[in-house]
Amino acid sequence: MLQFFRSKIRESIFRHPLIVGIISAATGAIIGSLATRVSLTNEPPLASIVPKQLEVNAAETVGFDARQSYDPDGEIVAYHWEVGGQGIDNSPVASCYTKDSERQMDCRFGIPSSHSVSVSVEDQNGVSTTSTAIVKVIVPDGYYGFMLKKRTGGVLDEALIQAFNMAIDWPSVQYNFGGIPILLYDPVKKEVVYAVSVEQSVEGAKSLVNENQLSGDLEIVGFASTEAEDLIAAGLREVGLDARFITPSGLASALQQRGDASFRSLSSLSELRQYYIDSEDSETE
């Protein structure tokens, strides 16, 4: 008898349209809730850069590839590249451009050192990840740098360094120095740059000398080429500056005569840059 009533109740429930509708709606709500829960779980994209580590010559073109990047549950909608910690339009260490819908990039590095190259990929939900490569840039035959110092002592201000850079025909100096790259400190960019990238401007250098009442008693440490020294001296004289050259071989005797232990030759790029940064810091104290 009990089994009979149970079967009648089941028949009544599934024959009644209102009850069936309620059951169907409840089932749909459960399924919809599960689907919503699944769609809210977004996996981040996976960034990839190839190569991850390499060594290149300065001014050599090198390519980077991010085409192996992917999104497990969606698509990548944007690529963003940085070189030396800056966007490629503002990078102080390389000239770069993207191609293949920004999935690839070519660069020419100008500053010898180790630099980071990174790509960030973003999915349709605004989630992004980054992959980074390290590039070591070298100058195969070395490079040449030197120190500037006031003969009378004191701090080298930025205007004097800039006037010195602008007064010289650096491509001619480098040619007479055997073509070895010459590096200068750029006080505007606060970076070491290739001398041949500095445009000569005699009038611009003269204006800096006159406006800032710059004195021209400079000592230059490092050059050992008579032809190069003559070109530099001629450019300085034209803008009202003067310089005395001290070669590395004559450095020790010059130190003894002056008793100036901070007067030193270049041993690395970082030393050249730090030399001028220390001078600027001393001036502001």
Side-chain angles (χ1 to χ4, degrees):
M1 181 66 69
L2 181 60
Q3 184 66 31
F4 173 78
F5 281 114
R6 282 179 178 170
S7 63
K8 291 297 181 181
I9 292 171
R10 279 199 299 269
E11 289 177 12
S12 303
I13 290 174
F14 287 102
R15 284 178 183 174
H16 198 291
L18 178 60
I19 295 176
V20 171
I22 291 173
I23 293 174
S24 299
T27 305
I30 293 170
I31 294 172
S33 176
L34 290 174
T36 302
R37 212 174 275 176
V38 170
S39 65
L40 288 177
T41 303
N42 177 55
E43 292 189 45
L46 298 176
S48 170
I49 186 170
V50 178
K52 289 287 287 184
Q53 191 168 1
L54 72 160
E55 182 176 290
V56 298
N57 296 331
E60 177 185 349
T61 299
V62 59
F64 298 93
D65 194 338
R67 289 178 297 176
Q68 293 183 22
S69 304
Y70 69 97
D71 188 347
D73 59 355
E75 61 178 338
I76 294 174
V77 298
Y79 295 79
H80 175 69
W81 295 86
E82 288 192 356
V83 179
Q86 300 286 335
I88 62 174
D89 292 334
N90 301 311
S91 175
V93 300
S95 173
C96 305
Y97 65 91
T98 59
K99 58 185 182 181
D100 190 16
S101 301
E102 299 189 332
R103 297 189 301 169
Q104 294 178 284
M105 178 178 69
D106 286 344
C107 289
R108 294 178 66 209
F109 290 85
I111 303 297
S113 188
S114 291
H115 307 293
S116 64
V117 177
S118 63
V119 63
S120 298
V121 296
E122 182 180 327
D123 67 12
Q124 73 275 9
N125 295 310
V127 179
S128 64
T129 59
T130 302
S131 182
T132 301
I134 299 297
V135 183
K136 182 179 181 181
V137 182
I138 62 172
V139 178
D141 298 320
Y143 56 88
Y144 210 83
F146 56 93
M147 296 294 186
L148 286 180
K149 197 169 184 72
K150 283 185 177 179
R151 195 179 304 176
T152 54
V155 175
L156 279 173
D157 55 41
E158 290 189 355
L160 183 55
I161 301 171
Q162 190 175 1
F164 172 82
N165 291 352
M166 296 170 63
I168 313 301
D169 178 8
W170 289 111
S172 296
V173 172
Q174 185 163 303
Y175 175 79
N176 281 277
F177 203 68
I180 298 175
I182 300 171
L183 301 177
L184 300 172
Y185 179 74
D186 187 328
V188 177
K189 296 180 179 179
K190 299 190 183 300
E191 290 291 344
V192 178
V193 299
Y194 281 111
V196 293
S197 70
V198 179
E199 184 178 354
Q200 184 184 23
S201 175
V202 173
E203 293 305 315
K206 282 183 178 178
S207 295
L208 285 170
V209 170
N210 294 331
E211 291 171 5
N212 295 277
Q213 299 181 341
L214 301 176
S215 61
D217 268 349
L218 292 174
E219 288 177 324
I220 302 176
V221 184
F223 276 95
S225 165
T226 302
E227 294 84 0
E229 290 178 3
D230 290 344
L231 285 167
I232 293 173
L236 294 176
R237 282 196 299 269
E238 192 171 356
V239 301
L241 297 175
D242 189 22
R244 179 167 71 99
F245 294 89
I246 302 176
T247 62
S249 60
L251 183 59
S253 60
L255 287 174
Q256 291 174 357
Q257 293 171 9
R258 290 171 48 90
D260 186 350
S262 66
F263 197 23
R264 53 201 166 88
S265 60
L266 173 69
S267 62
S268 67
L269 274 174
S270 58
E271 184 177 349
L272 174 63
R273 185 172 187 272
Q274 196 61 46
Y275 173 85
Y276 291 107
I277 290 176
D278 289 345
S279 296
E280 292 169 8
D281 291 343
S282 299
E283 186 178 20
T284 57
E285 288 178 357

